[in-house]
Amino acid sequence: QVQLVESGGGFVQAGGPLRLSCAASGLTFSGYAMGWFRQTPGKERAFVAAISRDGGVTGYVDSVKGRFTISRDNAKNTVYLQMNSLKPDDTAVYYCAANPTSYIRIYYSSPSEYDYWGQGTQVTVSS
């Protein structure tokens, strides 16, 4: 079955970096657009970043543009989220998700467009 396993979360001071990884198994990774979402208590899961199947097209929520970078390695079945200049408002549980799209150069920003989800990894940014 499809499994997405996030790692790399943790505790960091404001201004610092973290790199999240999401390892996928049970699927043909290059056939999936990938996304990162985050959620805080009492709020809905929110879009952070997404990447097309071939890695050539990416999208970000405005609040992370210029600070976060999404990338993927189809040979390693892994998608990454490099987070720099972290702020306390970035504190959340971060989830990766997979969309089995037939389109090679499209990304998706709505949680409802994703079929598979990881278990999440906590990111805590202290001020």
Side-chain angles (χ1 to χ4, degrees):
Q1 69 276 22
V2 176
Q3 271 197 312
L4 303 176
V5 180
E6 301 97 336
S7 61
F11 184 91
V12 63
Q13 288 193 327
L18 275 179
R19 189 195 197 202
L20 304 184
S21 299
C22 172
S25 61
L27 52 73
T28 304
F29 186 68
S30 61
Y32 288 73
M34 300 297 295
W36 286 98
F37 294 79
R38 62 189 179 187
Q39 190 171 22
T40 54
K43 293 190 176 181
E44 294 188 353
R45 202 163 292 187
F47 171 71
V48 176
I51 190 167
S52 61
R53 284 174 50 187
D54 67 347
V57 181
T58 58
Y60 301 88
V61 66
D62 285 348
S63 61
V64 309
K65 285 180 180 177
R67 299 190 298 122
F68 290 12
T69 302
I70 188 171
S71 61
R72 65 189 296 162
D73 185 337
N74 285 351
K76 295 184 177 180
N77 288 4
T78 302
V79 62
Y80 305 97
L81 186 67
Q82 178 67 46
M83 305 186 293
N84 297 328
S85 303
L86 280 161
K87 304 175 181 179
D89 282 352
D90 296 318
T91 295
V93 177
Y94 283 73
Y95 298 88
C96 71
N99 174 324
T101 179
S102 60
Y103 297 101
I104 296 175
R105 291 183 64 83
I106 290 180
Y107 69 86
Y108 300 86
S109 59
S110 171
S112 64
E113 294 173 306
Y114 288 84
D115 287 3
Y116 302 104
W117 293 85
Q119 82 289 348
T121 186
Q122 176 71 46
V123 172
T124 303
V125 184
S126 68
S127 58

